Amino acid sequence: MNICVFLSAARLDERYTTPAREFATLLGKAGHTLVWGGSDTGLMKVVADGVQEAGGRLVGVSVDFLAHKARPNADEMVVAEDLAQRKALLLAKSDAIVVMVGGTGTLDEATEILELKKHGKHRKPVVLLNTAGFYDGLKDQFRRMEEEGFLPIPLPDLVFFADDGAAALAYLEAEIAASSGTR
């Protein structure tokens, strides 16, 4: 499975890096491919290192103004012209999406992917990996949106909140297996 992971390129402390590395190791050991922003810095590097060290493939999609930070030994690296093209390529190259901790760029990527899913532009499973309760506030906001009629589809059909990498990967594998059986 090609799993797109949206996450920060910032250097973060162990409460985020340790679970990220554990998730990356699970992906690599399971033979999955990481599709990510291509950066060789911060949390993006932690995840790419973990996937690669565990035997998984790396498919990066950088953007022209960040190409100097791209990982040199990825299995594949594409450089997009702008952020919009980057997001489109990340979605096109993936079977599923995981949103890990991040800042405004990660939030932008997550909301665009969810908006596209809401409108039926893709049917790929999306997981918000809620490491250390990072997305508790967003989870509450989504619940409120659903309760007050702002979401035209049930929240569980839009996104799955996972507390750890094992739960995230189990959900994705089950969703992909289920959708393969209905094709």
Side-chain angles (χ1 to χ4, degrees), residues 140-161:
D140 290 343
Q141 185 63 47
F142 276 123
R143 285 181 178 151
R144 182 173 180 182
M145 288 176 187
E146 181 179 40
E147 290 166 3
E148 295 187 17
F150 290 96
L151 298 180
I153 62 175
L155 185 56
D157 292 348
L158 183 64
V159 63
F160 177 78
F161 284 85

Side-chain angles (χ1 to χ4, degrees), residues 3 18-27 30 32 98 100 127 129-131 160-174:
I3 300 174
T18 299
R21 180 169 277 284
E22 291 168 357
F23 177 64
T25 300
L26 290 173
L27 289 185
H32 299 303
V98 174
M100 297 179 75
V127 173
L129 186 48
N130 195 21
T131 303
F160 177 78
F161 284 85
D163 290 328
D164 59 43
L169 188 56
Y171 172 81
L172 293 177
E173 289 175 340

Side-chain angles (χ1 to χ4, degrees), residues 60-113:
V61 182
S62 189
V63 65
D64 63 356
F65 63 89
L66 294 174
H68 64 284
K69 294 184 178 187
R71 188 177 185 96
N73 65 342
D75 296 292
E76 178 185 337
M77 183 65 67
V78 176
V79 178
E81 293 178 17
D82 57 32
L83 291 171
Q85 184 186 39
R86 181 191 205 186
K87 289 184 285 189
L89 287 167
L90 286 163
L91 181 61
K93 290 179 174 291
S94 66
D95 303 310
I97 297 98
V98 174
V99 180
M100 297 179 75
V101 298
T104 56
T106 303
L107 188 58
D108 170 62
E109 292 161 339
T111 55
E112 181 165 331
I113 290 298

